[in-house]
Amino acid sequence: MESVYQHFREEEKQFIDQVSDWLRQVEMQYTPYLSPFLDPRQQFIVESIAGQYDDIKISTYGGYEAAERRRLFLSPSYFDPAQNDFNIRIAEIRYPRKFADLSHGKILGTLMGSGIDRSTIGDIISDGDRWQFFADGSIMDFLMSSVDKIGKITIQLEEISYTDLILPKDSWEDRDEIVSSLRLDVVLAGAFNISRQKSKELIASGKVKINWNETDRPDTVLGIYDVVSIRGYGRLRLQSIEGKTKKEKIRLSLGVLDRNS
């Protein structure tokens, strides 16, 4: 496994071991395995490791075409999963829209507060008025019966069909960026047009997350498909490393969701 570990961060080792177990199970037992919801970086890790298995196919689905968090269906190469095999259900949050405001953070905090694991929840989307989220089908009935408030706001969860999906308001902008290194503070400064000192201050104050996990390390080296969020600024996704300039700087292809644009 050491040859695999060297391509990833130290804190990703446990997930790599888990993925290897999934793949061995499919290979040895010839039975499909459905992953929990994974963030883009985790999806990249699975696909990287699965590339070593000739007879295993990966299919992905998150509930809609542009889904960020997805479930991966690992199967023998001859198996073609149907949409139902991903076991994803959708809920809309009914609330008094004229008198209350919801946010992604408040909704996620409430769902996590009900005792479920983050990996059972997919994307939380909004069109600026309505809110919907995707969940592992096995927990939807529990959520609908146990979650009736978000903060002080009385809400009702109603399961909906795919034909009732809203069109998410947020859209990613593809952007090319040239940076001196892949350090977190350097990439954030370039992507959001702020000083490197400001970038470090935001990280130190707990306003920055990598793949939904808070970090206080400005020297973290970013990798492919890492998603970084800065409270009050937006998010970025490192989509690819395009090479180096003549001055040895790094060309990046980013997806940027700029709240201030």
Side-chain angles (χ1 to χ4, degrees), residues 106-145:
K106 289 178 182 177
I107 295 168
L108 181 59
T110 296
L111 296 176
M112 296 300 94
S114 69
I116 63 171
D117 191 87
R118 178 67 179 98
S119 64
T120 62
I121 300 295
D123 284 7
I124 300 170
I125 60 175
S126 175
D127 61 2
D129 187 25
R130 298 164 62 192
W131 287 88
Q132 298 172 350
F133 67 86
F134 302 84
D136 183 321
S138 65
I139 66 160
M140 186 61 84
D141 290 339
F142 166 75
L143 290 175
M144 292 177 66
S145 64

Side-chain angles (χ1 to χ4, degrees), residues 19-157:
V19 171
S20 297
D21 288 343
W22 298 345
L23 292 166
R24 280 194 293 267
Q25 178 180 323
V26 176
E27 183 182 49
M28 300 297 290
Q29 300 178 13
Y30 297 99
T31 55
Y33 182 85
L34 178 62
S35 81
F37 284 98
L38 304 178
D39 65 47
R41 175 66 178 178
Q42 291 172 322
Q43 294 168 42
F44 170 72
I45 292 173
V46 176
E47 291 170 355
S48 298
I49 299 173
Q52 302 173 33
Y53 294 77
D54 294 334
D55 296 324
I56 294 180
K57 181 171 69 176
I58 300 178
S59 305
T60 73
Y61 189 58
Y64 67 113
E65 185 178 353
E68 193 168 71
R69 295 179 62 83
R70 293 171 173 263
R71 305 192 78 173
L72 273 58
F73 194 93
L74 311 175
S75 65
S77 56
Y78 57 80
F79 192 95
D80 289 317
Q83 182 172 298
N84 288 343
D85 289 322
F86 289 89
N87 194 21
I88 297 174
R89 293 162 69 181
I90 315 162
E92 177 150 351
I93 303 170
R94 306 295 186 189
Y95 70 103
R97 300 180 201 168
K98 291 184 178 180
F99 308 105
D101 290 314
L102 298 182
S103 68
H104 184 285
K106 289 178 182 177
I107 295 168
L108 181 59
T110 296
L111 296 176
M112 296 300 94
S114 69
I116 63 171
D117 191 87
R118 178 67 179 98
S119 64
T120 62
I121 300 295
D123 284 7
I124 300 170
I125 60 175
S126 175
D127 61 2
D129 187 25
R130 298 164 62 192
W131 287 88
Q132 298 172 350
F133 67 86
F134 302 84
D136 183 321
S138 65
I139 66 160
M140 186 61 84
D141 290 339
F142 166 75
L143 290 175
M144 292 177 66
S145 64
S146 61
V147 178
D148 57 9
K149 282 185 179 293
I150 296 177
K152 296 181 179 180
I153 303 168
T154 299
I155 62 103
Q156 180 182 2
L157 298 183

Side-chain angles (χ1 to χ4, degrees), residues 6 15 20 36 65 96 119-120 155 161 164 200 213 216 233 243 255:
Q6 66 180 340
F15 180 68
S20 297
E65 185 178 353
S119 64
T120 62
I155 62 103
S161 68
D164 292 323
K200 288 182 176 179
N213 296 306
D216 59 0
Y233 285 81

Side-chain angles (χ1 to χ4, degrees), residues 89 92 123 129 154 161 166 180 221-222 227 235 245 248 255 260:
R89 293 162 69 181
E92 177 150 351
D123 284 7
D129 187 25
T154 299
S161 68
I166 58 177
S180 59
V221 176
L222 296 181
V227 175
R235 288 190 288 166
T245 67
E248 291 298 302
N260 300 310

Side-chain angles (χ1 to χ4, degrees), residues 211-223:
N211 301 324
W212 291 269
N213 296 306
E214 190 175 303
T215 182
D216 59 0
R217 294 193 54 183
D219 61 344
T220 299
V221 176
L222 296 181

